[in-house]
Amino acid sequence: QVQLVESGGGLVQPGGSLRLSCAASGGTFSNYVMAWFRQVPGKERELLAFLTWTGRTFYSTSVEGRFTISRDNAKNTVYLQMNSLKPEDTAVYFCAAREKTASAYNYWGQGTQVTVSS
């Protein structure tokens, strides 16, 4: 029902910035919690941020103050603005969505690679 496609990943210098986009189709933001995750090889998937239907946001301690989640309802797009990037931010970043009544994220994008290196 819901399809998510991430874009905007790539190679960036330490201290630099990058904005990831998640284009959504098949649903309306008013019915979902949108989130960003990341995963590196050999480690569990990490929740970075989420944005509820009311506009409430949450950030993990590893990214709060550096990353910002937002959405453009007209474009059905969720963003993750990443500033002050560090090498340890290198990972595959995923966009995800869950319905209001769901306890787990049911819909996932394909992921986009972010590499922070000099």
Side-chain angles (χ1 to χ4, degrees):
Q1 180 179 334
V2 175
Q3 295 180 325
L4 306 173
V5 179
E6 303 97 334
S7 63
L11 177 64
V12 64
Q13 301 289 323
S17 298
L18 203 62
R19 188 180 75 164
L20 305 182
S21 298
C22 174
S25 62
T28 175
F29 287 132
S30 65
N31 295 325
Y32 297 91
V33 177
M34 305 299 298
W36 286 96
F37 290 78
R38 69 185 179 190
Q39 188 168 29
V40 300
K43 295 185 179 295
E44 64 183 9
R45 187 177 299 155
E46 177 187 12
L47 172 64
L48 302 177
F50 68 69
L51 175 64
T52 74
W53 55 92
T54 66
R56 175 174 166 261
T57 59
F58 162 84
Y59 298 94
S60 70
T61 57
S62 63
V63 304
E64 188 163 19
R66 298 189 298 123
F67 291 12
T68 303
I69 187 171
S70 63
R71 68 188 179 204
D72 185 330
N73 291 333
K75 296 182 178 180
N76 289 330
T77 300
V78 177
Y79 303 97
L80 184 67
Q81 178 66 46
M82 305 184 294
N83 299 323
S84 301
L85 285 163
K86 307 172 181 179
E88 51 263 44
D89 293 320
T90 296
V92 177
Y93 284 69
F94 296 90
C95 178
R98 68 170 177 87
E99 297 176 346
K100 293 179 179 180
T101 58
S103 60
Y105 289 88
N106 305 98
Y107 306 99
W108 296 84
Q110 82 288 351
T112 185
Q113 176 71 45
V114 173
T115 302
V116 184
S117 176
S118 60

